[in-house]
Amino acid sequence: MATGSATQSTNRVFLGGFTMRIEAIGADFWCGWSNAIDVQHFATSLMLSCWVSGETFTGAASLKAEVHFFSVLGTDLGSEVVWADHAGLGADFTQYMAQVKKSAMPAGTRFVRLRFGITDGAGTATGVTYVDAVQAVPGEWLPAWTPSLLVEGTTLDAIADGSTYGRVRKTALNGTGWIDLASAGIVNRGALALLDTVKASSISKDAVTSTHILDGSVTQTKLGALAVGTSQLANSCVTATKIGASAVGSGQLASTAASLTKVSGGILTGSGSTATLPSGKILDATAGATKLKTFTSMPTVGQVADGEWFAVSAGASKGIYVRAGTVAFNGAGIESSFSS
């Protein structure tokens, strides 16, 4: 059975790294269509060019290049033009050029397509040829040919990064082709990490400032237990205006977090069960009340401590006393005995 093929080849190359090799074996063979070239906005002509090298031909076989005309619906309008016919042999490439004026295109032409093939007119062609550096550009002259790297390169690996644009490396993609922010192919990926992937070790010193706290970015639910301690707080950074009502209670204070000295600002000191007003300190009772231990009659010596003030509210002993050893005396210095 007669066969044919159109393949990418490196056997003969005019420009770039590859060329199209067409082979016919006992029958005319045409390669597939080129992409559709929209001529709607072409003002004058379409310039065509290709470079061809023949390897083998038998009989009347030759390489032919055709341009076909299509409507907006994709219908072939006929009147195709053969603009290249090459039957020569040898490793050298020959250029074929043509100008197709827009005014000469069939009525209703919206697109043109190119195709190349080997034919002998009888349908029994045999031969091999190479086609390279194909151009189809608007205008009245043919510009310099520039290879498309996406076509000439077998893969994106063959394309080098440019001065403006570069490729996304495969290591930065997940299994479905999406950019993976946790991938080793992403530099500084910690700054792009998803929710819950940034740890304390990923945040540099001074990375979180008051701005991040005031705008609500850092909340209580985002801070782990013991994340903020005294070593993380500068002097005076926490004030009464920054602590909400009932925000700090006994449940939020460790057993050793508050002492009598810290709470009273040094006015009172404590040791065991005794609170002391240090020398030079003043206890101002004008804003409150001082209430003495009160009895209806003279107490026993064991009911008050040595040096303690107490009051007797009734009877012959009514008054205010202070214990001094085994006796009590009042403000006038008169001693009284305790009850037995």
Side-chain angles (χ1 to χ4, degrees):
M1 179 181 294
T3 59
S5 63
T7 57
Q8 185 184 72
S9 175
T10 57
N11 292 348
R12 293 185 186 178
V13 176
F14 178 72
L15 288 175
F18 301 93
T19 190
M20 178 170 64
R21 180 182 185 273
I22 301 175
E23 181 176 12
I25 307 174
D28 294 354
F29 179 83
W30 292 90
C31 72
W33 293 106
S34 72
N35 58 305
I37 304 166
D38 191 344
V39 297
Q40 180 182 18
H41 301 293
F42 286 13
T44 55
S45 302
L46 179 69
M47 297 298 298
L48 303 175
S49 174
C50 67
W51 290 81
V52 182
S53 173
E55 184 174 279
T56 60
F57 291 116
T58 61
S62 65
L63 178 284
K64 287 183 171 57
E66 290 184 344
V67 56
H68 286 239
F69 306 96
F70 293 85
S71 71
V72 69
L73 299 177
T75 302
D76 192 335
L77 300 175
S79 302
E80 62 271 10
V81 175
V82 177
W83 58 279
D85 189 343
H86 182 82
L89 302 178
D92 293 337
F93 279 83
T94 300
Q95 184 182 28
Y96 290 86
M97 294 185 294
Q99 182 183 43
V100 181
K101 291 185 177 295
K102 189 171 183 180
S103 60
M105 295 180 183
T109 297
R110 175 63 184 271
F111 304 102
V112 299
R113 290 177 181 267
L114 309 181
R115 71 170 184 170
F116 301 87
I118 297 175
T119 177
D120 62 2
T124 59
T126 296
V128 175
T129 189
Y130 299 87
V131 181
D132 202 355
V134 178
Q135 290 175 275
V137 293
E140 301 295 324
W141 55 276
L142 196 67
W145 186 88
T146 302
S148 169
L149 294 178
L150 288 176
V151 174
E152 291 296 329
T154 53
T155 68
L156 287 175
D157 292 330
I159 304 174
D161 287 336
S163 58
T164 303
Y165 300 100
R167 296 165 295 168
V168 176
R169 267 44 176 188
K170 186 176 180 180
T171 54
L173 306 177
N174 65 11
T176 58
W178 290 88
I179 294 177
D180 184 356
L181 298 183
S183 165
I186 299 292
V187 179
N188 295 329
R189 61 187 181 278
L192 302 173
L194 302 178
L195 181 66
D196 298 330
T197 61
V198 177
K199 299 181 175 59
S201 59
S202 303
I203 302 176
S204 62
K205 181 182 178 183
D206 301 327
V208 178
T209 65
S210 59
T211 302
H212 300 109
I213 296 175
L214 294 177
D215 67 6
S217 299
V218 179
T219 63
Q220 179 183 9
T221 57
K222 297 176 182 178
L223 295 175
L226 305 178
V228 179
T230 55
S231 60
Q232 284 76 41
L233 297 175
N235 291 337
S236 304
C237 75
V238 178
T239 63
T241 58
K242 297 176 183 177
I243 300 177
S246 304
V248 179
S250 59
Q252 284 74 43
L253 296 175
S255 60
T256 58
S259 66
L260 183 60
T261 302
K262 294 178 182 179
V263 172
S264 69
I267 295 298
L268 295 175
T269 60
S271 177
S273 60
T274 301
T276 303
L277 186 67
S279 175
K281 303 296 183 180
I282 298 173
L283 182 62
D284 185 356
T286 59
T290 300
K291 186 175 181 180
L292 297 179
K293 186 184 295 183
T294 303
F295 304 92
T296 56
S297 62
M298 203 66 181
T300 63
V301 69
Q303 289 181 286
V304 295
D306 195 17
E308 180 183 1
W309 287 88
F310 63 95
V312 177
S313 62
S317 300
K318 185 177 181 179
I320 297 175
Y321 300 86
V322 62
R323 176 183 167 183
T326 59
V327 297
F329 60 86
N330 60 19
I334 299 173
E335 292 186 359
S336 297
S337 299
F338 287 98
S339 296
S340 55

